[in-house]
């Protein structure tokens, strides 16, 4: 039996399905966060690697606890912790779009393999 068929034939517990769905969605959020970096920096000719995440207004570095996709934007009420600059809603929307998109793609692939 091919590895894909073995994977598709595997019956997961409800906990396993929930864990995989959550991990897949979180991975999509992280990809969306990286997409935001690329979208914001490439048109301005900036590096996507260095410096680390920072506020476009005051250029203060983003603290690790403030760099969690979607959650940090909600916790900070869409504002920079240092200068209060209003962080556009497009940031969490892109992250959520990627999260949902990756999850839908994974479910589609799993359903296709299960046929």
């Amino acid at each position: 039996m091919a590895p894909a068929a073995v994977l598709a034939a595997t019956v997961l517990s409800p906990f396993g399905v929930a864990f995989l769905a959550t991990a897949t969605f979180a991975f999509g959020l992280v990809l969306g966060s990286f997409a935001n970096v690329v979208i914001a920096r490439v048109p301005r000719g900036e590096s996507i690697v260095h410096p680390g995440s920072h506020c476009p207004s005051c250029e203060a570095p983003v603290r690790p606890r403030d760099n969690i996709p979607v959650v940090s934007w909600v916790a900070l009420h869409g504002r920079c912790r240092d200068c209060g600059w209003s962080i556009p809603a497009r940031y969490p929307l892109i992250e959520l779009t990627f999260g949902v998109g990756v999850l839908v793609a994974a479910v589609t692939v799993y359903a296709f393999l299960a046929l």
Side-chain angles (χ1 to χ4, degrees):
M1 201 182 279
V6 171
L7 174 67
T10 302
V11 177
L12 296 173
S13 69
F15 173 77
V17 170
F19 175 78
L20 283 176
T22 302
T24 302
F25 180 70
F27 179 69
L29 291 177
V30 170
L31 286 177
S33 183
F34 179 71
N36 275 324
V37 170
V38 173
I39 291 166
R41 293 186 183 189
V42 168
R44 294 187 292 204
E46 297 178 4
S47 169
I48 61 172
V49 179
H50 184 76
S53 296
H54 60 279
C55 173
S57 178
C58 69
E59 299 196 10
V62 175
R63 296 162 183 83
R65 71 173 184 250
D66 295 337
N67 209 12
I68 301 168
V70 180
V71 174
S72 295
W73 188 86
V74 171
L76 292 170
H77 306 287
R79 301 240 170 232
C80 171
R81 181 179 297 276
D82 295 300
C83 70
W85 177 72
S86 181
I87 302 167
R90 76 169 172 88
Y91 286 94
L93 290 175
I94 289 171
E95 293 165 354
L96 284 170
T97 301
F98 269 76
V100 170
V102 168
L103 181 59
V104 167
V107 168
T108 303
V109 168
Y110 182 78
F112 177 74
L113 293 175
L115 292 178

